[in-house]
Amino acid sequence: MSLGSSVFSTESYFHTQKPPDGLDIKTARMGEFVEHWRGVQGNKVVLVTSGGTTVPLEANTVRFLDNFSAGTRGATSAEYFLSAGYAVIFLHRQHSLRPFSRHYSHSLNPFLDLLSESSGTIAVSPEHTAKLLPILRAYHAAQVKGTLLSIEFQTVNEYLWLLKGVTGVMAPLGRRGMFYLAAAVSDFFLPEDKMAEHKIQSGHGTLSLEMDQVPKVLRPLVQEWTPEGYIVSFKLETEERFLIPKARAALSRYGHQLVIGNDLHRRKYEVVFVERTDGRRKTGVEDIPGGAETPPLEDANEFKETWLRLADLTRRTGNGADGEVEIEELIVNELVNRHDRWIADAES
Amino acid sequence: MSLGSSVFSTESYFHTQKPPDGLDIKTARMGEFVEHWRGVQGNKVVLVTSGGTTVPLEANTVRFLDNFSAGTRGATSAEYFLSAGYAVIFLHRQHSLRPFSRHYSHSLNPFLDLLSESSGTIAVSPEHTAKLLPILRAYHAAQVKGTLLSIEFQTVNEYLWLLKGVTGVMAPLGRRGMFYLAAAVSDFFLPEDKMAEHKIQSGHGTLSLEMDQVPKVLRPLVQEWTPEGYIVSFKLETEERFLIPKARAALSRYGHQLVIGNDLHRRKYEVVFVERTDGRRKTGVEDIPGGAETPPLEDANEFKETWLRLADLTRRTGNGADGEVEIEELIVNELVNRHDRWIADAES
């Protein structure tokens, strides 16, 4: 790692990096979905972002930088938001896990193993039916009610443009909109003018790459794009000692309501909610492009932490098998309460 | 890109980079599989490698470099090798496409859409049965006969160690072993001693990375590890003009039998076979660590090219829907013929 000078503000990013193909169509679909559910009395809408973003190293992409994320957190949480009555926009990385079908990954639990043939018809074997039935019913219910809209992204550039677009179309929801930003977004990217046109040829020794920092769009998202939404961001760290300081720093810097901190190795059964003691936003936060993630000096009493943990007995693989409790169920329950208070606060 | 000096030979690579967890167990499983099929009169065994390899940037990996590859070529080819009577070792990237289940990706053709409920039982709807039935039968047949062994990798380091291991256990097959190296292997990697222990922290401007070249293990694989196997490598390029020169260069440099060249944008319906006119290996090729991929001067008449193309009428999405012809069927047909000649050559 080295220090560099070419730092993009959010504004200069969107000014210099081209919008992806299909942006208008996808944004329009999200807009129609929001408009429909805005018209349904009291209905809440959540945006769930999920999966990692890629950073292409070549315009005709063969190589890319990626973030570790199967999309488990997002896909699982989306199911619980649906069962809590939310309309869900599931903005996810292509080929990452999806609500409902996540229970049957091609490697761990291949769906072909569920099936058996009998005189020209194919049925799910009786021993698999009990587990699949509630999943299939919830999947069909979401289809019939139209409560789930899935939109794909691949690159960090697609993600950023789509996030900006969907935040714009969700703004009219006011406090009824929640933003659950679980995607693992790259911190670095290769601007278009530095990108190779074709596959980088090997055979010439080492490869040196210099990447620019992705602008922290959470600030304009909170402070400009959606002044009323309930916003949840995530911090993933591999060293637990960074979790709470970095979560507080993010709250101070961006001004939103909640950071969910998780440690890479314990994220399936333990997370921490970090928020202001009053549960509110902080307005008038200033942008510091490229600045370090250190918080302005703030009283530690301003913040509170709530740990959510699965009990040892229920702590397992975290894929929702056989009535196992998933931590996303606890997370979503807590969030629904906070979101309802946030809505009620405005009305009182 | 810049020139660098730290170039690993295959020998120094395996000397300095630690073997991955689980290597012995996986290699032993492949060894047992090979031993079983070696004992079955005349049976041929193919190793199919598939999917991209990752290059972790951190020891506790959050970020990694990746290669564009869904694993379509490998998963599809494995099915055709199975139906041609081969025993198949499918060495694939975790979560990449797999034989048979590849027809039902979570996004394009979700399997939950195939199912309907009727009085507590779940069946595949009649309109989907006709397509699924032959796939399910072939899947079950491979299970019953035990002709498919799937082994996963994720990082380029795992891939290289597993490749070395499986080549060793396949060597006793002599000419009855085929190596179909369709995985998209990274050209660059970050040696252990340059890797960050924890998540690289952002907030300090740009990120600079310098990566070393992955050794070209194809040379020792051909010249030392399996002196008798039939070896097929792949060249993926984004510029067609590089295809044939680079394929010939690889044959000259590594001495194996066949390179399949494909262009990124046309690979679903057009490939080119590049081989020596006599269809043989070339022995006594010298290692040039880190050398450029330019071939020693060789008579162009030494090589021949065979283009395989899907006719326009059958050229479609290439996912095997509804009786569509897939180019992997043509590829595998051609390979079976060549492999049979290679075996017969030794016996005559």
Side-chain angles (χ1 to χ4, degrees), chain B residues 154-167:
Chain B
Q154 189 153 19
T155 68
V156 67
N157 187 54
E158 275 183 278
Y159 170 83
L160 292 172
W161 279 98
L162 284 165
L163 182 67
K164 188 178 183 216
V166 69
T167 308

Side-chain angles (χ1 to χ4, degrees), chain A residues 94-110:
Chain A
Q94 192 186 19
H95 303 309
S96 67
L97 291 177
R98 300 174 72 133
F100 308 114
S101 67
R102 72 178 173 97
H103 299 277
Y104 298 91
S105 93
H106 289 296
S107 36
L108 291 180
N109 198 3

Side-chain angles (χ1 to χ4, degrees), chain A residues 36-103:
Chain A
H36 172 77
W37 288 106
R38 192 163 73 97
V40 176
Q41 182 65 34
N43 215 291
K44 294 175 287 183
V45 178
V46 63
L47 170 73
V48 175
T49 69
S50 187
T53 61
T54 66
V55 178
L57 305 186
E58 300 138 328
N60 283 284
T61 304
V62 173
R63 299 192 182 91
F64 54 90
L65 196 78
D66 204 343
N67 274 28
F68 168 81
S69 171
T72 309
R73 182 78 85 213
T76 308
S77 302
E79 284 184 27
Y80 289 108
F81 278 119
L82 287 168
S83 70
Y86 278 74
V88 177
I89 299 175
F90 185 63
L91 183 61
H92 68 286
R93 163 72 175 276
Q94 192 186 19
H95 303 309
S96 67
L97 291 177
R98 300 174 72 133
F100 308 114
S101 67
R102 72 178 173 97
H103 299 277

Side-chain angles (χ1 to χ4, degrees), chain B residues 147-200:
Chain B
T147 43
L148 174 62
L149 176 67
S150 292
I151 298 285
E152 289 188 354
F153 63 82
Q154 189 153 19
T155 68
V156 67
N157 187 54
E158 275 183 278
Y159 170 83
L160 292 172
W161 279 98
L162 284 165
L163 182 67
K164 188 178 183 216
V166 69
T167 308
V169 301
M170 283 178 70
L173 289 164
R175 293 201 171 202
R176 281 160 61 196
M178 193 197 296
F179 296 77
Y180 184 80
L181 307 173
V185 182
S186 176
D187 292 313
F188 301 101
F189 79 113
L190 208 57
E192 281 166 31
D193 58 356
K194 286 191 185 175
M195 207 184 286
E197 179 70 16
H198 287 289
K199 184 179 175 187
I200 299 167

Side-chain angles (χ1 to χ4, degrees), chain A residues 6-14 17 53-56 65 67 155-161 163 184-191 211-218 220 253-254 287-291 293, chain B residues 63 202-207:
Chain A
S6 156
V7 172
F8 285 80
S9 67
T10 303
E11 201 177 2
S12 67
Y13 182 92
F14 287 113
Q17 307 299 307
T53 61
T54 66
V55 178
L65 196 78
N67 274 28
T155 67
V156 67
N157 187 53
E158 275 182 278
Y159 170 82
L160 292 172
W161 280 97
L163 182 66
V185 182
S186 176
D187 292 313
F188 302 100
F189 79 113
L190 209 57
M211 285 189 278
D212 292 58
Q213 208 177 320
V214 170
K216 305 292 185 190
V217 296
L218 193 49
R253 190 164 179 209
Y254 308 122
D287 193 13
I288 320 159
E293 282 189 53
Chain B
R63 299 193 182 89
S202 67
H204 305 285
T206 61
L207 173 74

